[in-house]
Amino acid sequence: MILLLFSLISFLTGADSVSEDSTLGNPGVNLLFAGDAMQHQAQLDQALIEGDGVRYDYSDCFSLIAPQVTEADYAVVNLEVPLGGGPRYSGYPCFSAPDSYAEALRDAGFDLFLTANNHCLDSGDRAARRTLTALDSLGIEHTGTFHDAASREQLVPFIKDLHGIRFAFLNYTYGTNGIEPRDGMEVALIDRGRMAREISQAREAGAEIVVVAVHWGVEYVLLENANQRSLAQFLIDEGVDLIIGSHPHVIQPMKVVRNEKEDKDVLVVYSLGNFISNMKTSDTRGGALVNVRVERDDNGKARFKKATYDTFFSAKPHGKGTNFKVYPSALADSIPAPQRDHWRIFNRAARRVFDQHNVNVPSMQ
């Protein structure tokens, strides 16, 4: 009788057999990844509340994309700006943003902030350390930079239990724009020996799925290069399950690669582009979200199951009282008319790259 009732409910709600299995105790996990959350001077200027020089309001920047972010079980974004603490903040080339910027990203649904990128030391070690303290105070999980070597040893790997599946998240960057960390400040740099050790430590800590987020590649180039492919293959050989790239500020292909040795599929995302910014060239005006599904197989092993992507557009203010705003592709018709052509140019080029070069990562649309 119970089984019959459940089947009737499934029929009426359109649930398929996978959904039924999920409901019966194997829910799986839906992850979402976004690219570079930038903070240029124009964004600061627009967020400044008139008459109050210490308040910055980003509350409307992510309101349209938030439902898509919050739908995931766990959402990850690259915070490519230190939280310097003010009273003065700055855009390119040496970034520093107010805490309310991170707060708005958190309120939009992002759970984990990646902090290892080439701008993490823009405002010095004090600001880099303050970023970590500020994220902690806002209740935001983070990885990639650390107060010191001892802190890194304690906090890496970052392990998260989601619906009974243990994930490890690791984050590395190619460099920090030539700015050297001081007084023991620790930035996780791309170092194959160190990466291999931390991947191994993640497995020893019980991680079933290992996610490595890498800040790599060449800016403004729409295809990955040989160095990226080589590092991706190294990570695949080390048993990583998901490889998520950032830094180029434009999208790059996404590919499902087979790890024959471990008999599993691995997702490689070379670049998700900008999440929000004031960059001006057409390829930098938007980016992609990648949705990742992880489930247990028939043998009880947690495995990457599938991935899909969606594009979006970062619109600039279009009148008094408006702010920068991220528009999901489903709401593209709502993009302010003067910028709709910019969206079409960006989206056409991005989807051309994905159509030609993605491997088993289709569009959500």
Side-chain angles (χ1 to χ4, degrees), residues 283-323:
D283 290 333
T284 64
R285 294 294 301 275
L289 303 174
V290 63
N291 295 274
V292 179
R293 178 74 177 172
V294 172
E295 295 178 357
R296 294 198 183 277
D297 64 16
D298 293 339
N299 297 317
K301 290 186 177 180
R303 296 295 197 196
F304 158 67
K305 183 74 172 179
K306 64 178 181 178
T308 57
Y309 78 86
D310 197 14
T311 52
F312 59 84
F313 185 70
S314 181
K316 300 180 188 298
H318 58 279
K320 186 175 181 180
T322 64
N323 207 334

Side-chain angles (χ1 to χ4, degrees), residues 13-305:
T13 59
D16 57 19
S17 60
V18 173
S19 299
E20 290 178 17
D21 290 343
S22 299
T23 305
L24 290 173
N26 184 15
V29 176
N30 296 314
L31 303 176
L32 179 141
F33 297 90
D36 305 331
M38 309 296 295
Q39 174 66 120
H40 293 96
Q41 188 62 49
Q43 293 168 264
L44 283 164
D45 295 342
Q46 205 67 25
L48 179 64
I49 297 177
E50 293 183 8
D52 188 342
V54 297
R55 289 185 58 212
Y56 292 81
D57 183 10
Y58 302 89
S59 59
D60 197 41
C61 294
F62 312 114
S63 59
L64 297 180
I65 199 80
Q68 204 165 338
V69 177
T70 56
E71 189 176 3
D73 295 308
Y74 202 67
V76 183
V77 67
N78 173 44
L79 180 67
E80 196 154 355
V81 57
L83 305 176
R88 296 173 61 185
Y89 301 101
S90 57
Y92 183 83
C94 290
F95 293 109
S96 179
D99 294 356
S100 56
Y101 182 60
E103 190 174 1
L105 287 164
R106 179 202 65 188
D107 292 346
F110 288 104
D111 302 289
L112 177 66
F113 287 20
L114 307 172
T115 58
N117 54 65
N118 60 305
H119 288 290
C120 64
L121 297 180
D122 275 6
S123 296
D125 295 74
R126 184 199 67 81
R129 285 191 170 97
R130 188 195 174 281
T131 301
L132 306 178
T133 303
L135 293 176
D136 287 340
S137 70
L138 292 170
I140 298 169
E141 295 171 330
H142 54 87
T143 192
T145 57
F146 310 91
H147 287 281
D148 51 35
S151 178
R152 181 175 181 178
E153 289 291 339
Q154 179 184 1
L155 297 173
V156 174
F158 172 72
I159 303 288
K160 187 72 177 179
D161 189 300
L162 300 168
H163 295 318
I165 298 177
R166 289 174 62 81
F167 291 79
F169 293 88
L170 303 170
N171 178 212
Y172 305 92
T173 179
Y174 74 92
T176 53
N177 290 345
I179 305 172
E180 294 294 329
R182 297 180 179 180
D183 301 324
M185 176 72 197
E186 189 79 8
V187 178
L189 298 174
I190 293 173
D191 175 313
R192 294 193 181 197
R194 184 68 182 264
M195 295 166 85
R197 289 197 300 274
E198 292 181 343
I199 292 166
S200 178
Q201 289 168 0
R203 294 298 186 193
E204 291 170 3
E208 299 174 90
I209 298 291
V210 176
V211 184
V212 176
V214 198
H215 209 67
W216 61 0
V218 179
E219 291 181 333
Y220 316 120
V221 176
L222 289 165
L223 296 177
E224 79 278 6
N225 60 28
N227 288 334
Q228 288 169 280
R229 289 192 293 272
S230 173
L231 183 57
Q233 188 59 55
F234 165 78
L235 293 171
I236 292 168
D237 292 341
E238 289 296 320
V240 168
D241 299 277
L242 307 175
I243 302 166
I244 308 295
S246 60
H247 175 61
H249 301 301
V250 297
I251 62 90
Q252 290 180 344
M254 311 170 182
K255 302 179 180 183
V256 176
V257 180
R258 189 70 180 168
N259 181 334
E260 296 292 351
K261 181 180 178 181
E262 297 193 9
D263 190 28
K264 67 180 183 180
D265 288 334
V266 179
L267 175 67
V268 183
V269 176
Y270 284 106
S271 176
L272 289 168
N274 287 331
F275 182 60
I276 190 169
S277 80
N278 187 42
M279 291 188 175
K280 296 177 173 58
T281 60
S282 59
D283 290 333
T284 64
R285 294 294 301 275
L289 303 174
V290 63
N291 295 274
V292 179
R293 178 74 177 172
V294 172
E295 295 178 357
R296 294 198 183 277
D297 64 16
D298 293 339
N299 297 317
K301 290 186 177 180
R303 296 295 197 196
F304 158 67
K305 183 74 172 179

